Amino acid sequence: MSRFSLNQATIKYAGLEEAVRVTVDAGIESIGLWREPVAEFGLAASAALVRDAGLRVSSLCRGGFFTGPDLAASLDDNRRAIEETAALGAPTLVLVAGGLPDGSRDLVGARERVRDAIGALEGDARAAGISLAIEALHPMYVTDRAVVSTLGQALDIAEQFDARAVGVVVDTFHVFWDPQVLDQIARAGAGGRIASYQVCDWTMPIAADPLLSRGYPGDGHIDFESLTEAVVAAGYTGDIECEIFNQEIWDAPYPEVVRLSHAAFERVVAPHLGLQ
Amino acid sequence: MSRFSLNQATIKYAGLEEAVRVTVDAGIESIGLWREPVAEFGLAASAALVRDAGLRVSSLCRGGFFTGPDLAASLDDNRRAIEETAALGAPTLVLVAGGLPDGSRDLVGARERVRDAIGALEGDARAAGISLAIEALHPMYVTDRAVVSTLGQALDIAEQFDARAVGVVVDTFHVFWDPQVLDQIARAGAGGRIASYQVCDWTMPIAADPLLSRGYPGDGHIDFESLTEAVVAAGYTGDIECEIFNQEIWDAPYPEVVRLSHAAFERVVAPHLGLQ
């Protein structure tokens, strides 16, 4: 069994059927799905499609965005996302916190709101048998996308709740810079909190749209050896998603992108996974 | 006495004489200098110029860059910068750590090198009667400019040395996102480690050149109230520099930029300084 999973966002413009087909054709056993293409194909049909294809679903991306003007609507939407995650047979719903509310400079207040929202969803996640995975995003996204900026901060929130229901994502792109990252990965592992490990590289210069500033593992500046070894030592045994936002990669042929993602994983991540 | 200081980089294209003139003309009492324009005007002449103008020199920018191929040359250059700082009558030399060496992914090793280099310079700083101020830069600069990314990490290094010789910079742009920032400011104050407080704002979207993504205080997303109150509570009583890297601001008339910087400071920073 290979632990490599293709996150669907890496071939963003493929519809669900095509994404599943190129994944299976490449001999890959696992896929990370996104809500929008699943909704487009239909939830039940999507669940049947991946099941019939023999794929594991490593996660569903994504819920969260708790800091907007209508918290009740956000919670409703997240409850639907939890149901979708369970229906797809995925263990994990990835949560992106949301940025500062319009016109606000109150990071502390926004962070409290994120914690409270996750508290409101904990029971739903437990009932559905899935994990909410809080994803720390790189601090350059703190105002517009995620007021949760470090793994330590994500754990400070997660640890207030049941470990079966609330964990964290370790995404190399977002956390590699953090001087505390190895300690925080160990902390996450000790608490059984690593719900997802995602890999892509940090390339320079930062793209004009900083959201798209990612590369194949090995093409940038991230030390996948120390991070992967820390995740392994922390006891994470799940699938490992390659999730790349990059315009040039999005514009390339899907089979080529899948092949290059998988090869990059085998070259710079897999050698550090120890005996499988 | 006003604590506002104009960092010369805010009017980057002005020579030293012009920078001093517009600063004095605006009724400002303090200036933060950069090495390049000082070198261009001559060190002794620069010292005489600011002294005759009646200006305090709040800091000299900047030393550091310890992670390149020639550490000995870097240390020599930093020793010259320490002498320049003393000659200009400035209390503080700002240090930017440097990024990853070419082709390296070893952040841990680069950080050890930064600590060792500062250790090698501690005695020189003490002998010269100036402080080395380690500046944590925003994590988006971790690979190309500064492997020191958080105030806590800067303090972890500074605290290994004499507090008279090694402190830290609190720069709002670089640290505002950090969930630990208020605690770390308090820690810095308790140890007598705040050597500089610099203010500018985080504006969105991030500029195409991320180095230039700064704005006047109040024009972006930073909460200057909580940060300034924390710096005051931490016991910092020195000058407060407004340092803005922004192409549009660099292209504007210098007196207007100085006026807008000062007005922004009076509007969003000064009200939180307490009784002076």
Side-chain angles (χ1 to χ4, degrees):
Chain A
M1 168 189 144
S2 166
R3 295 171 66 181
F4 177 79
S5 176
L6 181 78
N7 186 290
Q8 184 172 11
T10 305
I11 49 170
K12 176 174 176 169
Y13 302 138
L16 184 67
E17 274 190 294
E18 188 159 19
V20 165
R21 187 167 59 242
V22 296
T23 301
V24 169
D25 286 351
I28 294 164
E29 304 167 20
S30 182
I31 191 168
L33 297 178
W34 279 66
R35 294 184 71 196
E36 296 78 359
V38 164
E40 198 175 315
F41 195 70
L43 178 61
S46 298
L49 181 72
V50 291
R51 192 178 55 237
D52 294 347
L55 290 175
R56 300 187 297 277
V57 181
S58 47
S59 77
L60 182 63
C61 293
R62 60 199 177 181
F65 293 96
F66 299 120
T67 56
D70 191 343
L71 179 60
S74 165
L75 291 176
D76 284 349
D77 188 55
N78 275 280
R79 290 190 175 103
R80 284 191 294 276
I82 288 169
E83 290 168 15
E84 292 160 22
T85 305
L88 292 164
T92 297
L93 173 65
V94 172
L95 299 185
V96 171
L100 279 175
D102 279 353
S104 168
R105 297 183 173 92
D106 181 12
L107 283 171
V108 173
R111 287 161 174 163
E112 286 171 359
R113 187 161 170 182
V114 170
R115 182 206 56 204
D116 292 346
I118 291 170
L121 296 171
E122 176 192 16
D124 301 276
R126 203 167 38 212
I130 66 116
S131 280
L132 304 172
I134 307 170
E135 181 164 20
L137 260 55
H138 190 284
M140 70 182 169
Y141 307 120
V142 68
T143 60
D144 65 340
R145 305 195 79 79
V147 295
V148 176
S149 304
T150 66
L151 195 50
Q153 183 193 3
L155 286 166
D156 286 345
I157 297 172
E159 287 172 355
Q160 299 179 42
F161 308 106
D162 187 329
R164 290 167 298 178
V166 186
V168 299
V169 180
V170 177
D171 182 316
T172 55
F173 178 87
H174 292 303
V175 304
F176 82 100
W177 61 268
D178 184 347
Q180 301 182 352
V181 66
L182 299 180
D183 289 344
Q184 296 300 328
I185 289 172
R187 172 187 168 194
R193 300 281 176 177
I194 304 180
S196 175
Y197 180 38
Q198 295 184 333
V199 294
C200 73
D201 216 332
W202 174 273
T203 58
M204 288 289 289
I206 295 170
D209 179 349
L211 205 61
L212 308 187
S213 198
R214 306 186 186 194
Y216 294 113
D219 283 2
H221 299 278
I222 293 180
D223 175 19
F224 287 93
E225 178 173 351
S226 64
L227 294 171
T228 301
E229 288 182 355
V231 168
V232 169
Y236 180 71
T237 57
D239 289 335
I240 300 171
E241 291 185 7
C242 183
E243 183 195 51
I244 307 175
F245 301 170
N246 176 306
Q247 193 61 55
E248 197 179 327
I249 291 174
W250 285 346
D251 290 338
Y254 309 139
E256 178 189 324
V257 171
V258 172
R259 184 176 57 76
L260 290 174
S261 299
H262 197 179
F265 174 87
E266 292 296 330
R267 196 170 58 248
V268 305
V269 178
H272 310 297
L273 291 174
L275 295 173
Q276 297 295 301
Chain B
M1 170 189 143
S2 165
R3 295 171 66 183
F4 176 78
S5 175
L6 181 77
N7 186 291
Q8 184 172 12
T10 305
I11 48 171
K12 176 176 175 165
Y13 302 138
L16 184 66
E17 275 189 293
E18 188 159 17
V20 166
R21 188 169 59 243
V22 296
T23 302
V24 169
D25 286 352
I28 294 164
E29 303 165 22
S30 182
I31 191 166
L33 298 179
W34 280 64
R35 293 183 73 197
E36 295 79 0
V38 164
E40 198 175 313
F41 195 69
L43 178 60
S46 298
L49 181 73
V50 291
R51 192 177 57 237
D52 293 348
L55 290 175
R56 298 187 299 277
V57 181
S58 47
S59 76
L60 182 64
C61 294
R62 59 196 180 183
F65 293 98
F66 298 120
T67 56
D70 190 343
L71 179 59
S74 165
L75 292 176
D76 283 348
D77 188 54
N78 275 279
R79 292 193 174 101
R80 284 192 293 275
I82 288 169
E83 289 167 16
E84 292 161 21
T85 306
L88 292 164
T92 296
L93 173 65
V94 173
L95 299 186
V96 171
L100 279 175
D102 279 353
S104 169
R105 297 182 172 92
D106 182 11
L107 282 171
V108 173
R111 287 160 175 164
E112 286 171 358
R113 188 161 168 181
V114 169
R115 182 206 55 203
D116 292 346
I118 290 170
L121 296 170
E122 177 192 15
D124 301 276
R126 202 166 39 212
I130 66 117
S131 280
L132 303 172
I134 306 169
E135 181 163 20
L137 260 57
H138 190 283
M140 69 181 168
Y141 307 120
V142 68
T143 59
D144 65 340
R145 307 195 76 78
V147 295
V148 176
S149 304
T150 67
L151 195 50
Q153 184 193 4
L155 286 166
D156 286 344
I157 298 172
E159 288 172 356
Q160 299 179 42
F161 307 107
D162 187 329
R164 289 166 299 177
V166 186
V168 298
V169 180
V170 178
D171 183 315
T172 55
F173 178 86
H174 292 303
V175 304
F176 81 100
W177 61 269
D178 185 349
Q180 301 182 353
V181 66
L182 299 181
D183 289 344
Q184 296 299 329
I185 290 173
R187 171 187 168 195
R193 299 281 176 179
I194 304 181
S196 175
Y197 181 38
Q198 297 185 332
V199 294
C200 73
D201 216 332
W202 174 272
T203 58
M204 287 291 289
I206 295 171
D209 177 350
L211 204 60
L212 309 187
S213 198
R214 308 187 184 193
Y216 292 113
D219 283 2
H221 299 279
I222 293 179
D223 175 19
F224 287 93
E225 179 173 350
S226 63
L227 293 171
T228 302
E229 288 182 352
V231 167
V232 168
Y236 179 71
T237 57
D239 289 335
I240 300 170
E241 292 185 8
C242 182
E243 184 195 50
I244 308 175
F245 302 170
N246 177 307
Q247 193 62 55
E248 198 178 326
I249 291 173
W250 285 346
D251 290 337
Y254 308 139
E256 178 190 323
V257 171
V258 173
R259 184 176 58 75
L260 290 173
S261 298
H262 197 178
F265 175 87
E266 292 296 330
R267 194 170 59 248
V268 305
V269 179
H272 310 298
L273 291 174
L275 296 174
Q276 299 296 300

